[in-house]
Amino acid sequence: MSADEPSLPQLLDAFAGARARVLDEHMYRLPPEARWRATFRLQLFTGDGMRPVAVATQMPGAGEGASLTNAAETCAETVWREHFPDAPEPPVWVSHLILEHRRQLSLVTFAADPSARTLRSPGWRPMSPADVDALVGQAVDLERGAGFTPPEPEPEPEARFVAYPVVRLPRPAPFREKKCMAAGVPWWRRLGRQLVPRRGGRDCCWYHGGDWHQVNRLALRLVAQFEAAGVSFEDIPRHVLNHPDAQGLTDWEAEALDSLVMDTIRPHGPWPRDARYNNGNHRAQAMLDAGVRRTLIERDTD
């Protein structure tokens, strides 16, 4: 977040107020024509003279399609068009991801084009449940909801970890016009960062917030160790995160290690030229920016 962007307390001061919940749809789906396929719980709160608030809750690991992070613009602008077509501004957007070991609760702001009802350049500000309650003026249920119906499980191909050269990763997309997340990474910039890598962290965002070189070295070593010992793909994350070498990490390093083995980077599509990402756009961008040599990705066994 740049110095000229409002902080979370400033946004809460501007938006907070007593609202009534007017919608609670546990299985909201993006329409078929949308760029992404995604489901989430949608709660809408409205009050006289105030911008509506939308609270979107999702369990990305439960077959819900694109995450609220990757599809942020599409999800928010769809709700704007469907539920508030005459409003000059989109609803205040609260994104809530329920992950296996943590939750990500954020107030997301956008640059809006009111005439086209489109959004771009999302920015995330971490929130607490108390912040959400203060925003809408009542206690908000932040569970996935009793109406959640996970899809029927389908036979999945066997997955495996692959130590992959970062310089050969697919072009990250979409990347939202933020100063620290330039669109794509041209070949000359990829090679340049391999020759002159960046180490340490920056304060622009979580993805650039620590040393991916160090975290990847640890992840690659431990995964290789457990694969050699015959540990299954499903059990490797637990062994990695419980290993003595994974203790004593900083909060950022521990979360980054967790993300590599639990919330895996998953390119898909014609490999490698036309591949995109089911997950991992932002981390791939940050590693390319840092000049990391190799990282873990998840691939299906051929």
Side-chain angles (χ1 to χ4, degrees), residues 8 11 34 42 56 79 83 86 95 99 104 117 123 142 147 153-154 190 219 259 285 292:
L8 178 65
L11 290 171
L42 176 64
V79 171
H83 292 280
D86 299 324
S95 171
L99 305 170
Q104 292 180 353
R117 294 293 192 274
L142 292 177
E154 297 180 1
R190 294 184 182 220
S259 80
Q285 177 81 43
V292 173

Short mmCIF file of all heavy atoms in Angstrom, two decimals, residues 8 11 34 42 56 79 83 86 95 99 104 117 123 142 147 153-154 190 219 259 285 292:
data_model
loop_
_atom_site.label_atom_id
_atom_site.label_comp_id
_atom_site.label_asym_id
_atom_site.label_seq_id
_atom_site.Cartn_x
_atom_site.Cartn_y
_atom_site.Cartn_z
N LEU A 8 -6.55 1.07 6.64
CA LEU A 8 -7.77 0.38 7.06
C LEU A 8 -8.57 1.21 8.07
O LEU A 8 -9.79 1.35 7.90
CB LEU A 8 -7.45 -1.00 7.63
CG LEU A 8 -8.66 -1.78 8.15
CD1 LEU A 8 -9.61 -2.13 7.02
CD2 LEU A 8 -8.21 -3.05 8.88
N LEU A 11 -10.46 3.81 6.18
CA LEU A 11 -11.57 3.26 5.40
C LEU A 11 -12.73 2.86 6.30
O LEU A 11 -13.90 3.08 5.95
CB LEU A 11 -11.09 2.05 4.60
CG LEU A 11 -10.13 2.36 3.44
CD1 LEU A 11 -9.55 1.09 2.86
CD2 LEU A 11 -10.84 3.15 2.35
N ALA A 34 -19.04 -15.41 -17.20
CA ALA A 34 -17.94 -14.77 -16.48
C ALA A 34 -16.61 -15.40 -16.87
O ALA A 34 -16.54 -16.55 -17.30
CB ALA A 34 -18.15 -14.88 -14.98
N LEU A 42 -22.26 -15.34 -0.18
CA LEU A 42 -22.39 -13.90 -0.36
C LEU A 42 -23.39 -13.35 0.65
O LEU A 42 -24.56 -13.75 0.65
CB LEU A 42 -22.84 -13.57 -1.78
CG LEU A 42 -23.11 -12.09 -2.07
CD1 LEU A 42 -21.84 -11.26 -1.92
CD2 LEU A 42 -23.70 -11.91 -3.47
N ALA A 56 -17.84 -11.82 1.15
CA ALA A 56 -17.72 -13.04 0.36
C ALA A 56 -16.83 -14.03 1.11
O ALA A 56 -15.69 -13.71 1.44
CB ALA A 56 -17.13 -12.73 -1.01
N VAL A 79 -21.25 -8.88 -8.58
CA VAL A 79 -22.20 -8.53 -7.50
C VAL A 79 -22.69 -7.10 -7.68
O VAL A 79 -23.89 -6.81 -7.48
CB VAL A 79 -21.53 -8.74 -6.13
CG1 VAL A 79 -22.41 -8.19 -5.01
CG2 VAL A 79 -21.23 -10.23 -5.90
N HIS A 83 -26.73 -6.86 -8.22
CA HIS A 83 -27.49 -6.47 -7.03
C HIS A 83 -27.60 -4.95 -6.84
O HIS A 83 -28.52 -4.49 -6.16
CB HIS A 83 -26.87 -7.10 -5.78
CG HIS A 83 -27.02 -8.58 -5.72
ND1 HIS A 83 -28.20 -9.18 -5.31
CD2 HIS A 83 -26.17 -9.58 -6.06
CE1 HIS A 83 -28.05 -10.50 -5.37
NE2 HIS A 83 -26.83 -10.77 -5.82
N ASP A 86 -27.80 0.33 -10.21
CA ASP A 86 -27.92 1.78 -10.31
C ASP A 86 -26.95 2.52 -9.40
O ASP A 86 -26.92 3.76 -9.40
CB ASP A 86 -29.36 2.22 -9.97
CG ASP A 86 -30.38 1.62 -10.93
OD1 ASP A 86 -30.05 1.50 -12.12
OD2 ASP A 86 -31.48 1.26 -10.48
N SER A 95 -13.33 -9.79 1.53
CA SER A 95 -12.97 -11.12 1.03
C SER A 95 -12.52 -11.97 2.21
O SER A 95 -11.66 -11.56 3.00
CB SER A 95 -11.84 -11.00 0.01
OG SER A 95 -11.34 -12.28 -0.34
N LEU A 99 -8.90 -21.22 4.79
CA LEU A 99 -7.88 -22.17 4.37
C LEU A 99 -7.66 -23.21 5.46
O LEU A 99 -8.17 -23.09 6.57
CB LEU A 99 -6.58 -21.42 4.06
CG LEU A 99 -6.73 -20.29 3.03
CD1 LEU A 99 -5.47 -19.45 2.96
CD2 LEU A 99 -7.08 -20.87 1.66
N GLN A 104 -7.87 -15.81 5.70
CA GLN A 104 -7.46 -14.53 5.13
C GLN A 104 -8.70 -13.65 5.01
O GLN A 104 -9.58 -13.91 4.19
CB GLN A 104 -6.80 -14.71 3.76
CG GLN A 104 -5.47 -15.43 3.81
CD GLN A 104 -4.84 -15.60 2.44
OE1 GLN A 104 -5.45 -15.30 1.42
NE2 GLN A 104 -3.61 -16.09 2.40
N ARG A 117 -19.21 -0.54 -15.33
CA ARG A 117 -19.35 -1.42 -14.18
C ARG A 117 -18.22 -2.44 -14.13
O ARG A 117 -18.43 -3.64 -13.95
CB ARG A 117 -20.71 -2.14 -14.19
CG ARG A 117 -21.92 -1.24 -14.01
CD ARG A 117 -21.94 -0.63 -12.60
NE ARG A 117 -23.20 0.01 -12.27
CZ ARG A 117 -23.51 1.26 -12.55
NH1 ARG A 117 -22.63 2.01 -13.21
NH2 ARG A 117 -24.67 1.78 -12.20
N GLY A 123 -6.67 -3.78 -4.07
CA GLY A 123 -5.70 -3.66 -2.98
C GLY A 123 -6.28 -4.28 -1.73
O GLY A 123 -7.44 -4.04 -1.38
N LEU A 142 -19.03 -15.51 9.93
CA LEU A 142 -17.91 -15.71 9.01
C LEU A 142 -17.62 -17.17 8.74
O LEU A 142 -16.52 -17.52 8.31
CB LEU A 142 -16.66 -15.01 9.56
CG LEU A 142 -16.73 -13.48 9.59
CD1 LEU A 142 -15.46 -12.90 10.21
CD2 LEU A 142 -16.94 -12.92 8.18
N GLY A 147 -25.62 -23.94 4.07
CA GLY A 147 -26.07 -24.24 2.72
C GLY A 147 -24.96 -24.61 1.76
O GLY A 147 -25.20 -24.76 0.56
N PRO A 153 -17.06 -35.57 -5.39
CA PRO A 153 -15.63 -35.77 -5.70
C PRO A 153 -15.45 -36.54 -7.00
O PRO A 153 -16.17 -37.48 -7.29
CB PRO A 153 -15.12 -36.58 -4.49
CG PRO A 153 -16.35 -37.23 -3.93
CD PRO A 153 -17.48 -36.28 -4.18
N GLU A 154 -14.49 -36.08 -7.77
CA GLU A 154 -14.15 -36.75 -9.02
C GLU A 154 -12.79 -37.41 -8.87
O GLU A 154 -11.93 -36.93 -8.12
CB GLU A 154 -14.11 -35.74 -10.17
CG GLU A 154 -15.44 -35.07 -10.44
CD GLU A 154 -15.34 -34.08 -11.59
OE1 GLU A 154 -14.23 -33.95 -12.15
OE2 GLU A 154 -16.35 -33.45 -11.91
N ARG A 190 13.63 -11.43 -16.41
CA ARG A 190 13.79 -12.72 -15.73
C ARG A 190 15.28 -13.07 -15.63
O ARG A 190 15.78 -13.44 -14.57
CB ARG A 190 13.07 -13.82 -16.49
CG ARG A 190 11.56 -13.70 -16.51
CD ARG A 190 10.94 -14.90 -17.20
NE ARG A 190 9.48 -14.78 -17.28
CZ ARG A 190 8.65 -15.77 -17.10
NH1 ARG A 190 9.09 -16.98 -16.83
NH2 ARG A 190 7.34 -15.59 -17.20
N ALA A 219 12.27 -25.63 1.64
CA ALA A 219 11.18 -26.44 1.12
C ALA A 219 11.69 -27.51 0.16
O ALA A 219 11.29 -28.68 0.25
CB ALA A 219 10.16 -25.55 0.41
N SER A 259 2.63 -22.07 2.42
CA SER A 259 2.00 -21.84 1.12
C SER A 259 2.61 -22.72 0.04
O SER A 259 1.91 -23.16 -0.88
CB SER A 259 2.11 -20.36 0.73
OG SER A 259 3.39 -20.03 0.21
N GLN A 285 5.16 -14.30 -9.45
CA GLN A 285 5.63 -12.96 -9.77
C GLN A 285 6.71 -12.51 -8.78
O GLN A 285 7.76 -12.00 -9.17
CB GLN A 285 4.47 -11.98 -9.73
CG GLN A 285 4.85 -10.52 -9.98
CD GLN A 285 5.03 -10.19 -11.43
OE1 GLN A 285 4.23 -10.61 -12.25
NE2 GLN A 285 6.06 -9.44 -11.76
N VAL A 292 14.69 -15.91 -7.80
CA VAL A 292 14.80 -17.24 -7.21
C VAL A 292 15.10 -18.25 -8.31
O VAL A 292 14.55 -18.17 -9.42
CB VAL A 292 13.49 -17.60 -6.47
CG1 VAL A 292 13.51 -19.05 -5.99
CG2 VAL A 292 13.26 -16.64 -5.31
#
